[in-house]
């Protein structure tokens, strides 16, 4: 955060703005404690690396505000204290007589006031307090109030810069032909028709497929369509949704890979009761499908690599760019643009790797663009899952023992590790209902597609299964579904 001599408060945004509003919410935390004039607050996207250490810049798990709630408020409070101390020094009065408000510092006794801009340089020389006082909630004037949203005007007018809007002088565009299934390999390619397509400049082999480089996106996609490519089938070429669903169901019949919870006597109670209910639920792989397709622009020149990308993980993108380019990390600069949605898909850096690999083969900036079809076919997905929940019931139809078996598609490395997948049992181990003794089991099968965290992560399927099961129990108990749930909630919920 920086106060300019013009009186603007510039906040460096260390999280990615993808429509969830962090470019507004996070500056509000600083401005609240700082007593800044909201109309004078500006946001600049932080760039990883350099002299400043921003800590983790990963934007996931709806954690931006809650993880920075205290830290940013404290930063604002420190700035307020230093501005008040600067004004006190200027006027020769005690700091306790000076109060910041609306971008000014006012002297209580005389009514004198100074703008933050006039105090900026002097404030920078003041001693920062170790434990500045933070406001009580009843003192808030910004937090919890409606304020103009950052980037709103630019978005409405079409001036907002998303990754796909990046333009650099002399830039090329690229579309990549990728294998039809995971693990498929290139058998043969004839690029003559692609090279004859108007606007196509080059065709290059990269790790993910065949890159068609052109003067514009239309030419790049047209050239890709003109390629004559054949592939050798991969290990999952004949695996589809039905096969995965059956494998998941079958995995529930054997011993689990791991137990997330195992209260004593759960299995015995389930076997001995004559009041029992059991149901199974299946959910498919799900694509993230954000509004803005995957894209990345990269330029390698004079031993440096610059990347412009809509990413949820700029530091991960920087590491991937260094790995692919072979350049030192301190020669990689990643500019995070606005994201047209993310939902976890943009925590990956596969599209960054592609852009850097192509940029290494040309002498100018290049933008790799995925189509919507590309992302559905070749993206990274939320894992498919199968759930079986079984409960022993008392005379009123309430659970006294509960067994929840979860089976998910998982990467081979996850299965090899033998460790419990915490994501797979999110919501299964920590739901708020009092259901008696519990046993939570996890099994898995190898995923035929690449996997990536998806909005709400494991809760997206565990909560669906649990709430569906509770609806069935409520029907069996001839109870209103809401009332039934309320009776299962403990005193803290």
């Amino acid at each position: 955060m920086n106060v300019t001599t013009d009186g603007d408060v510039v906040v460096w945004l260390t999280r990615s703005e993808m429509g969830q509003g962090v470019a507004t919410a996070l500056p509000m935390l600083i401005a609240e404690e700082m007593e800044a004039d909201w109309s004078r607050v500006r946001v600049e996207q932080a760039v990883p690396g350099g002299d400043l250490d921003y800590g983790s810049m990963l934007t996931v798990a709806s954690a931006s505000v809650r993880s920075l709630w205290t830290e940013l408020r404290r930063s604002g409070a420190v700035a307020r204290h230093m501005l008040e101390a600067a004004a006190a020094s200027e006027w020769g009065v005690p700091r306790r007589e000076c109060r910041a408000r609306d971008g000014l510092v006012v002297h209580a006794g005389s009514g004198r006031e100074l703008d933050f801009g006039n105090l900026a340089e002097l404030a920078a020389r003041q001693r920062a307090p170790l434990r500045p006082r933070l406001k009580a909630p009843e003192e808030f004037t910004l937090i919890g109030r409606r304020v103009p949203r950052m980037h709103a005007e630019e978005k409405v007018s079409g001036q907002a810069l998303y990754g796909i809007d990046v333009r650099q002088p002399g830039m090329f565009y690229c579309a990549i032909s990728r294998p039809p299934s995971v693990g498929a390999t290139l058998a043969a390619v004839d690029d003559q028709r692609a090279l004859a397509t108007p606007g196509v400049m080059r065709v290059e082999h990269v790790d993910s497929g065949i890159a068609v480089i052109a003067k514009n996106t239309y030419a790049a996609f047209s050239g890709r369509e003109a390629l004559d490519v054949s592939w050798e089938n991969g290990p999952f070429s004949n695996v589809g949704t039905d096969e995965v669903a059956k494998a998941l169901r079958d995995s529930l019949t054997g011993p689990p890979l791991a137990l997330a919870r195992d209260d004593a006597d759960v299995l015995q109670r389930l076997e001995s009761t004559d009041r029992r209910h059991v149901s199974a639920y299946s959910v498919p792989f799900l694509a993230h499908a954000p509004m803005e397709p995957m894209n990345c622009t990269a330029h390698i020149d004079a031993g440096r690599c610059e990347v412009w990308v809509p990413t949820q993980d700029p530091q991960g993108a920087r590491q991937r760019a260094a790995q692919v380019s072979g350049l030192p990390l301190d020669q990689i600069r990643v500019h995070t643009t606005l994201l047209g949605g993310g939902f976890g898909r943009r925590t990956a850096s596969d599209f960054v790797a592609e852009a850097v690999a192509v940029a290494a083969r040309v002498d100018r900036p290049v933008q790799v663009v995925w189509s919507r079809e590309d992302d559905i076919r070749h993206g990274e997905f939320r894992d498919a899952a199968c759930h079986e929940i079984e409960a022993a019931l008392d005379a009123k139809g309430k659970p006294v023992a509960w067994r929840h078996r979860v089976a998910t598609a998982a990467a081979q490395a996850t299965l090899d590790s033998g460790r419990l997948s915490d994501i797979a049992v999110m919501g299964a181990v920590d739901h708020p209902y009092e259901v008696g003794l519990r046993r939570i089991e996890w099994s898995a099968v190898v995923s035929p597609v690449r996997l990536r965290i998806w909005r709400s992560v494991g809760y997206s399927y565990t909560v669906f299964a649990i709430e569906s099961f509770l609806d069935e129990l409520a029907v069996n108990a001839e109870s209103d579904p809401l009332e039934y749930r309320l009776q299962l909630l403990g005193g803290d919920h």
Side-chain angles (χ1 to χ4, degrees):
M1 179 261 295
N2 180 45
V3 179
T4 72
T5 55
D6 293 331
D8 290 341
V9 176
V10 181
V11 175
W12 294 100
L13 185 64
T14 62
R15 297 295 185 270
S16 300
E17 174 58 67
M18 50 187 163
Q20 83 281 38
V22 294
T24 304
L26 297 181
M28 282 177 70
L29 302 181
I30 292 176
E32 176 69 72
E33 295 290 349
M34 190 177 180
E35 293 289 355
D37 177 352
W38 181 251
S39 67
R40 304 295 300 276
V41 176
R42 294 192 287 111
V43 175
E44 299 287 346
Q45 187 68 45
V47 176
D51 297 331
L52 297 177
D53 179 11
Y54 297 112
S56 173
M57 298 174 69
L58 184 64
T59 307
V60 292
S62 301
S64 295
V65 171
R66 56 190 167 93
S67 66
L68 295 172
W69 172 260
T70 301
E71 179 182 333
L72 293 186
R73 288 179 60 205
R74 184 176 290 121
S75 296
V78 167
R80 181 191 70 235
H81 180 105
M82 295 171 73
L83 287 161
E84 291 172 345
S89 174
E90 181 73 15
W91 294 323
V93 299
R95 190 192 69 81
R96 65 177 179 274
E97 296 180 5
C98 303
R99 290 290 180 269
R101 69 183 185 204
D102 295 327
L104 304 170
V105 177
V106 180
H107 180 231
S110 64
R112 288 176 292 181
E113 57 186 41
L114 284 170
D115 180 272
F116 281 4
N118 294 326
L119 293 167
E121 293 183 352
L122 181 57
R125 298 194 293 270
Q126 303 301 310
R127 184 174 181 178
L130 293 177
R131 296 180 181 84
R133 188 188 78 85
L134 301 183
K135 289 183 177 181
E138 58 270 18
E139 298 177 89
F140 290 162
T141 58
L142 274 177
I143 295 175
R145 309 293 197 275
R146 290 182 178 272
V147 299
R149 188 157 172 159
M150 297 291 183
H151 303 128
E153 184 176 342
E154 294 97 319
K155 290 178 178 179
V156 170
S157 64
Q159 299 176 69
L161 185 71
Y162 291 85
I164 208 163
D165 300 320
V166 169
R167 297 293 180 267
Q168 293 293 312
M171 188 169 80
F172 280 158
Y173 300 82
C174 176
I176 296 177
S177 176
R178 301 173 181 85
S181 64
V182 175
T185 56
L186 181 66
V189 59
D190 184 344
D191 60 11
Q192 293 306 302
R193 288 197 304 132
L195 288 169
T197 302
V200 171
M201 307 304 294
R202 298 172 63 171
V203 174
E204 296 282 351
H205 291 220
V206 292
D207 287 348
S208 61
I210 308 299
V212 178
I213 304 162
K215 292 181 178 180
N216 53 65
T217 52
Y218 180 79
F221 283 109
S222 298
R224 185 177 70 171
E225 290 299 314
L227 284 171
D228 183 8
V229 186
S230 58
W231 305 90
E232 292 287 347
N233 287 333
F236 297 110
S237 60
N238 295 319
V239 178
T241 300
D242 292 342
E243 288 78 14
V244 173
K246 182 179 185 304
L248 288 169
R249 290 193 300 270
D250 290 347
S251 73
L252 292 179
T253 63
L257 288 178
L259 293 173
R261 178 167 174 171
D262 187 20
D263 295 346
D265 299 329
V266 172
L267 298 181
Q268 180 181 349
R269 288 203 179 193
L270 288 168
E271 292 171 0
S272 62
T273 185
D274 58 357
R275 294 178 58 84
R276 183 174 62 177
H277 187 77
V278 57
S279 285
Y281 312 91
S282 295
V283 295
F285 291 104
L286 286 181
H288 302 77
M291 183 73 72
E292 178 190 16
M294 300 303 106
N295 66 87
C296 179
T297 303
H299 186 204
I300 297 177
D301 182 52
R304 293 179 58 84
C305 176
E306 279 203 270
V307 175
W308 297 263
V309 60
T311 176
Q312 292 175 243
D313 184 12
Q315 291 156 325
R318 187 168 177 245
Q319 292 278 357
R320 192 70 179 274
Q323 178 186 19
V324 173
S325 67
L327 294 171
L329 192 62
D330 61 6
Q331 297 302 304
I332 310 294
R333 189 170 179 84
V334 172
H335 307 273
T336 304
T337 67
L338 292 175
L339 285 61
F343 319 120
R345 174 66 179 97
R346 286 189 160 98
T347 61
S349 295
D350 50 337
F351 43 96
V352 176
E354 288 182 338
V356 173
V358 176
R361 291 162 168 80
V362 297
D363 59 356
R364 60 181 69 195
V366 61
Q367 184 178 90
V368 171
V369 181
W370 294 43
S371 67
R372 171 69 65 217
E373 293 82 359
D374 289 336
D375 201 27
I376 298 300
R377 291 171 180 160
H378 306 286
E380 305 190 3
F381 300 83
R382 187 204 69 179
D383 46 328
C386 185
H387 297 251
E388 184 176 281
I389 306 179
E390 185 178 6
L393 308 173
D394 65 16
K396 295 182 179 179
K398 303 296 191 299
V400 293
W402 177 282
R403 182 186 190 186
H404 188 164
R405 289 186 281 183
V406 182
T408 64
Q412 183 65 59
T414 301
L415 273 65
D416 292 342
S417 72
R419 294 193 301 270
L420 172 71
S421 168
D422 293 333
I423 288 177
V425 294
M426 279 181 174
V429 294
D430 57 350
H431 69 72
Y433 301 109
E434 295 183 350
V435 294
L437 301 174
R438 295 194 219 179
R439 179 180 168 95
I440 313 298
E441 307 173 10
W442 174 65
S443 299
V445 299
V446 178
S447 174
V449 297
R450 295 183 300 163
L451 301 175
R452 180 64 45 175
I453 58 172
W454 192 85
R455 186 74 169 128
S456 82
V457 203
Y459 294 101
S460 64
Y461 45 65
T462 56
V463 171
F464 159 72
I466 291 166
E467 295 298 331
S468 298
F469 190 72
L470 290 176
D471 278 341
E472 296 175 28
L473 295 185
V475 170
N476 290 345
E478 299 182 348
S479 175
D480 174 78
L482 175 58
E483 183 60 30
Y484 186 86
R485 285 171 169 80
L486 291 173
Q487 291 175 13
L488 295 181
L489 289 176
D492 294 335
H493 301 285

